[in-house]
Amino acid sequence: MKNTIQILGSLIMMLVFMASCQDKDHPNYQYMPNMYEDVGYETYGNYEVFPNGMEAMQPAEGTVSRGWMPYGYENSTEGYEAAKASLTNPVPYTEDNLNEGKALYTIYCAICHGDKGDGKGTLAKREKILGVPAYNDQGRAITEGSVYHVTYYGLNTMGSYASQTTERELWLINHYVIDLKDALDGKPKRAFEEEATSEDVASAEATATEEETEAQTEE
């Protein structure tokens, strides 16, 4: 009987000892480690494999995202004027592209600029944002180039949309903005272009890039 009590006591002590060493966050035995440990790196996590131990790193100097082309006009008054004078929309003015531009405009622009581009969006009517000009404001005399420059960099209280949209989407919005301006000016609607091939679009984009480079060089 005495031996039985000693054995039970020893077992209880062993169980208590084992329980005290247990860590629920780090199981003692992992038969399938990938079920417990994340293989991927968490954003802003600290890992020894990265320089400075930080997962969130700046892109290597001089690199650009795949499919992205640098914008050749500076974020300055001179850059704005150069874009306004020489930059044109490389995306074909087709019905489908215009409809896409309208949908994007409704998402990003109408809340301030209004559905008609008259500066009477919901926020303007509620006086949350004041002084939103109409697209046909004579003092601004917007062009395709100036519209793109402002949507790319932002201006005054309007922020940049370059991080929220692609280059093509900005140009689609551009088509619709110019349409709204023409409507406010009482001009007839522009005739749609024929649907361009991918080669035509690439050629137009290359031409626009060359124009940007030339304008930058002249500056």
Side-chain angles (χ1 to χ4, degrees):
M1 182 67 179
K2 185 176 180 179
N3 290 338
T4 302
I5 293 174
Q6 290 178 343
I7 293 172
L8 288 174
S10 298
L11 290 173
I12 291 172
M13 290 182 65
M14 290 178 62
L15 289 172
V16 171
F17 177 77
M18 292 176 64
S20 66
C21 295
Q22 184 179 8
D23 185 347
K24 293 182 179 180
D25 294 329
H26 297 85
N28 293 327
Y29 297 98
Q30 297 181 6
Y31 296 102
M32 297 182 179
N34 288 349
M35 298 292 288
Y36 299 96
E37 305 291 342
D38 291 336
V39 177
Y41 298 112
E42 295 292 335
T43 305
Y44 303 115
N46 293 315
Y47 302 96
E48 294 181 357
V49 297
F50 295 106
N52 301 323
M54 178 63 70
E55 185 276 340
M57 300 172 58
Q58 293 292 329
E61 185 177 353
T63 60
V64 297
S65 301
R66 184 184 295 275
W68 179 82
M69 290 295 293
Y71 181 53
Y73 295 88
E74 295 181 351
N75 185 17
S76 63
T77 302
E78 293 75 15
Y80 171 83
E81 293 298 336
K84 181 176 182 178
S86 59
L87 185 60
T88 56
N89 196 331
V91 176
Y93 180 74
T94 65
E95 185 173 5
D96 287 342
N97 286 343
L98 184 63
N99 288 335
E100 285 188 57
K102 179 180 180 179
L104 292 166
Y105 176 90
T106 302
I107 294 171
Y108 295 110
C109 314
I111 191 68
C112 295
H113 292 277
D115 292 329
K116 297 180 180 180
D118 53 6
K120 298 179 181 179
T122 301
L123 293 182
K125 289 179 180 179
R126 295 177 181 176
E127 298 186 349
K128 302 296 183 181
I129 298 178
L130 301 177
V132 180
Y135 287 137
N136 67 334
D137 180 74
Q138 294 300 315
R140 298 169 71 223
I142 64 173
T143 66
E144 291 179 345
S146 68
V147 171
Y148 187 87
H149 193 85
V150 170
T151 53
Y152 188 89
Y153 284 123
L155 182 66
N156 299 328
T157 57
M158 174 180 161
S160 167
Y161 285 87
S163 63
Q164 303 175 51
T165 56
T166 64
E167 180 182 0
R168 180 175 181 275
E169 287 173 337
L170 286 180
W171 283 121
L172 292 174
I173 294 172
N174 195 295
H175 274 319
Y176 192 68
V177 167
I178 298 301
D179 251 33
L180 292 177
K181 177 184 182 299
D182 289 345
L184 291 170
D185 284 333
K187 293 181 179 180
K189 192 172 180 61
R190 292 179 288 170
F192 290 121
E193 301 172 18
E194 293 184 5
E195 190 66 41
T197 64
S198 58
E199 290 78 7
D200 293 333
V201 174
S203 176
E205 291 177 346
T207 300
T209 302
E210 290 176 2
E211 291 175 353
E212 293 175 14
T213 304
E214 290 174 0
Q216 192 70 18
T217 302
E218 291 175 359
E219 293 175 16

